[in-house]
Amino acid sequence: GNISFLCLEPQVIPVTFLSSRSYLALPGTSGQEEISISFQFRTWNKEGLLLSSKVHRSSGGFLLYLSDGKVKINLHKPGKTLSDISAGAGLNNGQWHSVLFSAKRNRISLIVDNDMTSSVHASISLQIYSADTFYFGGCPNIGNNSECKSSFGGFQGCMRLISIGNKAVDMNSVQKNIFGNFSDLQIDLCGIIDRCLPNYCEHGGECSQTWNSFYCNCTNTGYKGATCHYPIYEQSCEAYKHRGNTSGFYNIDSDGSGPLGPFLVYCNMTDATWTIIQHNNTNLTRVKSANRENPHTVFFKYSASLDQLHAAINHAEHCEQELAYHCKKSRLLDKTDGLPLSWWIGRTNETQTYWGGSSPTVQKCACGIEGSCIDSQHYCNCDADRNEWTNDTGFLSYKEHLPVTEIVITDTDRPNSEAAYRLGPLLCRGDRAFWNSASFNTETSYLHFPTLHGELSADVSFFFKTTASSGVFLENLGIQDFIRIELYSPSEVIFSFDVGNGPSEVTVQSLTSLNDNQWHYVKAERNIKDASLQVDQLPQKFHAAPPDGHIRLQLNSQLFVGGTASRQKGFLGCIRSLQLNGMALDLEERAKITPGVEPGCPGHCSSYGNLCHNGGKCREKYNGFSCDCSFSAYAGPFCKKGKHISAYFGTGSSVIYNFQEYYTFTKNSSSHASSFYADMTLSRETITLAFRTTRTPSQLLYVSSFYKEYLSVILTRNGDLQIRYKLDSHQDPDVFTTNFKSMADGQLHHVKIDREEEMLLVEVNQNERMKFILSSGTEFNAIKSLILGKILENSDVDEETMKANSQGFTGCLSSVQFNHIAPLKTALHHGSSAPIIVKGRFTESSCGTLTGADSTLSETTHSFADHSGPIDEGEPLNNASRNDSAIIGGVIAVVIFIVLCITAIAIRIYKKKSIYSKNETKGSENEDSAESALKRELSTQNTASENQKEYFF
């Protein structure tokens, strides 16, 4: 029959709506009872007008539009808006989607993508008739055109296969202006651009786009910025520490904005900062029946990938990992053939035969290096091959071989042969890059590094300090492209660049001068979306990139740091911790060989000293600083923790802190006393203490003066807290009493006293606050000493203080601080080097943190016999004759005590030997005991062997 062997596809002519002003107006048949319109569209925008028309014989109309990626229809007439009807979801994904809208009188239907399950049918109160014009994508901007007026913009995207009344629209006729009319359209082409291909969102960021631009969702990536380029986590524990963070779990990003992601570590913030990275097997593991043909092999999996671990190790100043190998007739090296019987593998994937405490260059253990092996013919304890437990344990510290990823053991298949191993976590200390710095001493000196070339994103961060008013921090040039960061004025930093779209600048203005010789932080980033600049904690400034401009940096010169290629506007000062795209640049190594530049920058305490709290003193170090908490009641890296330093005071005990040695004055020199002690005159003081007692009256704290002025804090006979100030030796003391309830109830009570001149504020138990006015004076002159407990010196005090002092203080004192002085901490931890005297029974305790019932049980750890620090000899000659009988009794007591100790030791040795022999018997019966049994066995043997040395006289 009449056939042809081809299939003619209908010609599909798409149309592109280029802007929000684009529209396509097509005629309709006015007055028809039925409307049927179908088309396909494609867009990246969530919102836009698809179709609008006026309803015939009515002043109302309808709008078909996109909202939040859904197709919605809105019918309206004056004074009344019918409810929106919607269909579909996620239709702004750049794919083609079909829409069929039909209406017949008061019945409408909306079908999207031929999906009947999501189609919508509804009855309305408005009669629908076809109008004479349908507007696609927008409408003419002619006066107040209400036919398609809406709160959202026009459609940007593509349409095709438009059909009105089941009749396809001929777009060729539209293009020739034969049918309908249009504005700002591109016919016969879909000009939509997929801006997410390629995906410029880094580190797994999710890309989305509109007609003009793309956006990156950086949620849960660990990065931020327009392209998810810049890390939100610090690169090391050292960086967290110098933000004031304390010990805890933190995410670190070892390579910054590089390709490696963040991972979780534990940061131990001590004077040195340790990074602790765990693996999956830190238990003591027992090994039997292993030989060279059937070795015991164990693999270690860390909480980070090997690449992440390598980056963290490279950043650190020092890394180590403890490897313990316990053995009984299990050797590490076969001396007959010189081949290893056990070994481990690290990051280089090479076999390592040196063990903890040794170095890679020798096949030895720690005892072989120290010359302390149990058999001098061998370099490892285990190689002695004895039928008893011994071990080779130590730290592996050669960074290029860490971490340990695998251990292989082959010598546990002989009779009574056994081994056990334990691998500790990876420990790394410090951050080489964080304190890496250089000092630029001339305006013509600079350092140079390899260039940036062809980068989509570039970020630079560093710290600087200077007294100069201007200077270039760094510069990188190309034929046309360049980047430059400079201090333009004392309070202005400028980031300027050109990637082929013309020169651009981002400027940050500071309200304060930046040339104050303090460390300031600068971070600049340029990506294909925008450029940004941040200085310290000031608001970040941005500069948007053109949507379709050049995107790659084309630089061919070297990166100049501290100056420019023209040797103009050089920087005078220090630059530290320079990072380029997450990679640390070694300023110190380059500075060593560059004239006019010196490695290292002193003076960290001027910027970081405020991190030392509670009277802690900042101490300079070559790489950074540390907080000296010697004279603070607090401890820790920033003197912020360990506040509850407590002590138990026995009856009559006393702690005396001398502010200044006593100087006797002649009568003629008394007029000069005030000027001599001017540095010890106080117009304000802050005192904190906590106490627990059941005794009244009690003397808690006393501060004396060379001028018979004093401050006394006591508990009265009724248990009331009383503060007595005498700031004028010729007047009676000011007395202030808190009458809440008896504070001698065995509970812990907190007291804070703040005085500023005549104003006195007292806070009890962190909630009761009182305000008092002093009348005896405003200055505490020539303070002499601070006394906790009983006053032993001759003091001219009032009667109530004398009554309280008759019993002194018996109980617990905790967290005592007088301005920056911490007398309890000084007496307990620094007594031998501090101006402090301790008398009577004084014992470190945890009574400041326990409940009242438990407080008396805790006075066991740090006991002083009678004094700590300078010895107050009192009257030894006068007391000697009275103490003869006491000395004889003491000698007898010591002899009895020694006899009892020897008896107890003998019994203990016997029991230990008995336990050891029993464990040996049990060991032969049950060879697969749990880890705890192995620990007991190792501990028992070690104890038994140590006893022979420990109790030999």
Side-chain angles (χ1 to χ4, degrees), residues 850 853-860:
L850 300 175
D854 297 331
S855 63
T856 58
L857 303 178
S858 58
E859 47 188 88
T860 57

Side-chain angles (χ1 to χ4, degrees), residues 757-774:
E757 296 184 339
E758 75 278 0
M759 187 68 65
L760 182 67
L761 299 175
V762 180
E763 181 181 291
V764 177
N765 292 332
Q766 300 175 348
N767 51 25
E768 303 290 347
R769 295 176 177 85
M770 292 144 288
K771 185 177 180 181
F772 305 105
I773 305 295
L774 275 68

